[in-house]
Amino acid sequence: GGQPRSVQPFSDEDASIETMSHCSGFSDPASFTEDGPEIDEEATQEDLEYKLKGFIDLTLDKSAKTRQAALESLKNAFSSKILYEFIMERRMTLTDSIERCIKKGKSDEQCAAAGLACLLCVQMGSGIESEEIFKTLGPVLKKIVCDGTASIQARQACATCLGICCFIVTDDITELYSTMECLENIFTKAYQRDRDTNGVSSTHNTVLHISALLAWTLLLTICPMNEVKKKIEMHLHKLPSLLSCDDLNMRIAAGETLALLFELARETDADFFYEDMELLTEKLRALATDGNKHRAKVDKRKQRSVFRDVLRAVEERDFPTEMVKFGPERMYIDCWVKKQTYDTFKDILGSGMQYHLQSNDFLRNVFELGPPVMLDAATLKTMKISRFERHLYNSAAFKARTKARSKCRDKRADVGEFF
C-alpha cells in the first residue's frame, strides 16, 4: 500500500511516446508528422519506470482487486514495450509476485498472473535467467493445471502459460517431455468423453481441453523427430473423434492440430500413409461445407474457412501462404508449424505483436528474421507520405471501391452473368 496507490493504471498513452510511435510509425509511414515538439525520451522512460515500480509493489497489496489491476497494467506494459533492462533487475521480485498470486489468488487474479508470466518469459527470451523463472513457476503452473478443484479459467490460463514458457525457456529434453505429458493428461480426457457420449455433447471442461491441446501442439513443434513419430502414432487416429465435438473452437483446434501432425509426419517420412484417409477426408469435407441451420452464420463461415485449409493440407499437402507486415518488413507464414507458433504469440501479445516482431530478439530468432532492422531519421523521412498524397490516394481508392460495389448492386445488370 502506501504511496504507490496513487499510481495511475498503465494505458496506451504511456507507451505511445516511445513505444507505440515506433510500432505504428513503422507500420504506417504516413504516421510520421512533418514537425513536432522534441520529446525528452529519458524523462519519459523514468516516468514509465516509476509507474511500473508502483505496479510491482501493488501486486503485494492486501486487496485482490488492487493486485489484479496491477497485474493487468503490467501485462499491458510488457506487451507494448521492450523492457528487458528494467525486468532483468526485478525478475526475482516479479517471479515471487506472480507465484504468490497464482498460489493464493482467486480465478481472475490467477489468470492475470499466468498471462504476466507468459509476457515475462517473452521479454526475457531464452537464457539462464528465464530458466530460473521457469524452475520457480513451472511446478506451480502444473499443480494448478492438474487441480480439479481450481477454476476452469485458471487451469486454462495456466495450461497456456505452461506451454508457452516451456517453449521459450527449456533446453532440458526431460522437462519438455514432462510438460507435454502433463498437458496430454488433460486433453486426452476429451477422447474418453467422446467415446462415452459419441461426440455429441460437450462439458465445461472443453475450454481447458482446447488450451491444453494447443499448448501441447506448440511444444510438439520443437520435439526431436523420433519423439514426433511416437506422438503421431499415439494421437493421429484419436484426434479425428474431436471433430464431432459440439464446441466450434474444439473442432477448429482439432482440425488445425491434425493438419500440423500430417505436415510433420510427411517431413519425417515422405511416403507417410494414413490408413483411414478416406474416412478422415469425408469428415473434413463435411465440416468445410457445413450448412447446418442450427449453427450461427458467423460460426459456419469461420469453420468452413478453417476446414477448407485443413482439407487441402491433409489431401493435397498444400498450405495457403499468408503475409504478415510489420513496419518495412514482411514475413511469410508458409506452413502449419509457423502458423501455430505465430497464432500462439499473437494471442499473448495482442496489438503489441507487430512491435515485438520488429524489436524482440527472441521472437525474431523464432521466426528467423535476423537482427532488428535499425532505421535512421533520414530513412524514415523517405518513407513518409505527405498529407496531400495520402488524401489523393484515399480518394481514388474510395471511388474505385464505390464503382465496383455499385456495379454488383445494380439491379439492371444482366442476371445471367452471375451464373
Side-chain angles (χ1 to χ4, degrees):
Q3 188 177 353
R5 284 182 177 278
S6 63
V7 177
Q8 296 298 314
F10 185 89
S11 65
D12 289 342
E13 291 179 7
D14 297 311
S16 63
I17 297 175
E18 185 174 355
T19 307
M20 300 310 287
S21 61
H22 290 289
C23 180
S24 61
F26 283 150
S27 58
D28 179 13
S31 64
F32 290 94
T33 53
E34 298 281 347
D35 300 300
E38 290 189 9
I39 296 167
D40 185 348
E41 292 189 2
E42 189 174 340
T44 302
Q45 184 69 16
E46 286 177 5
D47 290 344
L48 175 61
E49 290 188 4
Y50 174 76
K51 274 196 168 190
L52 294 179
K53 287 174 192 173
F55 295 140
I56 293 172
D57 290 341
L58 289 176
T59 59
L60 302 175
D61 195 85
K62 288 182 180 179
S63 165
K65 191 173 181 181
T66 302
R67 292 195 303 271
Q68 187 183 336
L71 291 167
E72 293 291 349
S73 293
L74 287 169
K75 280 173 61 182
N76 290 338
F78 286 11
S79 64
S80 60
K81 183 167 174 58
I82 301 295
L83 296 160
Y84 182 82
E85 297 296 335
F86 176 85
I87 292 171
M88 178 66 83
E89 295 173 8
R90 298 165 181 81
R91 65 185 187 282
M92 297 315 297
T93 305
L94 280 163
T95 305
D96 291 342
S97 293
I98 291 169
E99 182 183 12
R100 184 189 296 265
C101 292
I102 292 176
K103 278 183 175 178
K104 299 184 177 180
K106 299 296 182 185
S107 178
D108 290 343
E109 185 180 342
Q110 288 174 310
C111 291
L116 182 60
C118 289
L119 292 166
L120 182 61
C121 286
V122 170
Q123 287 272 348
M124 297 298 295
S126 54
I128 296 172
E129 295 83 9
S130 297
E131 286 181 23
E132 291 174 0
I133 293 169
F134 189 62
K135 279 179 184 175
T136 303
L137 296 180
V140 181
L141 293 168
K142 285 181 183 177
K143 187 176 179 181
I144 298 293
V145 169
C146 300
D147 182 3
T149 62
S151 79
I152 289 296
Q153 289 74 23
R155 294 176 71 191
Q156 177 189 7
C158 287
T160 299
C161 179
L162 185 62
I164 290 172
C165 292
C166 185
F167 177 88
I168 295 170
V169 170
T170 189
D171 283 330
D172 182 358
I173 202 73
T174 55
E175 181 59 39
L176 174 63
Y177 293 166
S178 168
T179 303
M180 291 183 73
E181 186 179 351
C182 172
L183 295 167
E184 271 179 325
N185 291 336
I186 300 299
F187 77 78
T188 50
K189 290 176 182 175
Y191 298 155
Q192 183 64 45
R193 189 205 71 213
D194 193 76
R195 283 199 297 272
D196 293 343
T197 62
N198 296 319
V200 293
S201 68
S202 61
T203 68
H204 66 292
N205 288 326
T206 300
V207 290
L208 172 61
H209 296 157
I210 294 169
S211 294
L213 175 60
L214 293 175
W216 175 86
T217 307
L218 177 70
L219 294 180
L220 185 66
T221 64
I222 58 171
C223 277
M225 280 303 175
N226 60 337
E227 186 67 17
V228 170
K229 286 181 180 178
K230 290 179 187 175
K231 297 300 184 186
I232 288 172
E233 288 174 8
M234 190 185 302
H235 293 283
L236 194 55
H237 66 285
K238 295 179 181 177
L239 273 168
S241 65
L242 300 183
L243 298 174
S244 304
C245 180
D246 283 347
D247 189 282
L248 170 67
N249 292 321
M250 174 57 93
R251 294 196 299 274
I252 288 174
E256 292 186 338
T257 301
L258 275 168
L260 187 141
L261 288 181
F262 269 92
E263 182 176 274
L264 291 174
R266 286 160 177 164
E267 281 181 15
T268 57
D269 179 9
D271 300 321
F272 172 76
F273 175 74
Y274 180 64
E275 293 178 357
D276 299 323
M277 179 64 86
E278 190 174 341
L279 186 63
L280 176 61
T281 51
E282 280 181 18
K283 191 174 282 192
L284 293 174
R285 193 171 288 108
L287 290 166
T289 57
D290 188 7
N292 284 336
K293 292 184 179 179
H294 69 276
R295 285 181 183 151
K297 285 184 178 180
V298 174
D299 289 352
K300 283 190 287 189
R301 199 175 298 124
K302 184 178 179 182
Q303 176 181 289
R304 287 197 293 257
S305 173
V306 169
F307 280 96
R308 279 196 295 267
D309 294 340
V310 172
L311 182 62
R312 283 172 60 185
V314 171
E315 205 171 29
E316 304 171 23
R317 306 186 180 206
D318 190 22
F319 181 87
T321 302
E322 302 171 21
M323 183 178 70
V324 178
K325 298 180 182 180
F326 48 100
E329 298 177 85
R330 305 290 180 268
M331 178 176 76
Y332 291 93
I333 299 175
D334 52 7
C335 63
W336 285 97
V337 168
K338 207 168 185 178
K339 176 178 168 32
Q340 169 73 13
T341 309
Y342 176 80
D343 288 347
T344 300
F345 284 101
K346 188 178 178 184
D347 286 342
I348 291 297
L349 292 166
S351 60
M353 183 65 176
Q354 285 194 343
Y355 177 70
H356 276 266
L357 281 174
Q358 289 173 225
S359 310
N360 187 309
D361 288 329
F362 165 74
L363 271 189
R364 293 185 68 85
N365 186 41
V366 167
F367 293 108
E368 300 177 339
L369 296 170
V373 177
M374 304 302 292
L375 297 178
D376 55 23
T379 308
L380 293 176
K381 195 168 184 180
T382 60
M383 292 169 60
K384 193 160 44 181
I385 303 171
S386 72
R387 184 175 295 178
F388 180 66
E389 288 174 324
R390 231 172 28 246
H391 174 71
L392 289 179
Y393 172 79
N394 288 336
S395 296
F398 177 76
K399 287 178 182 177
R401 195 163 55 243
T402 304
K403 285 178 71 176
R405 287 175 178 172
S406 298
K407 188 175 181 182
C408 290
R409 293 172 180 168
D410 192 349
K411 293 180 181 178
R412 293 171 296 177
D414 186 5
V415 178
E417 70 185 29
F418 291 99
F419 292 91

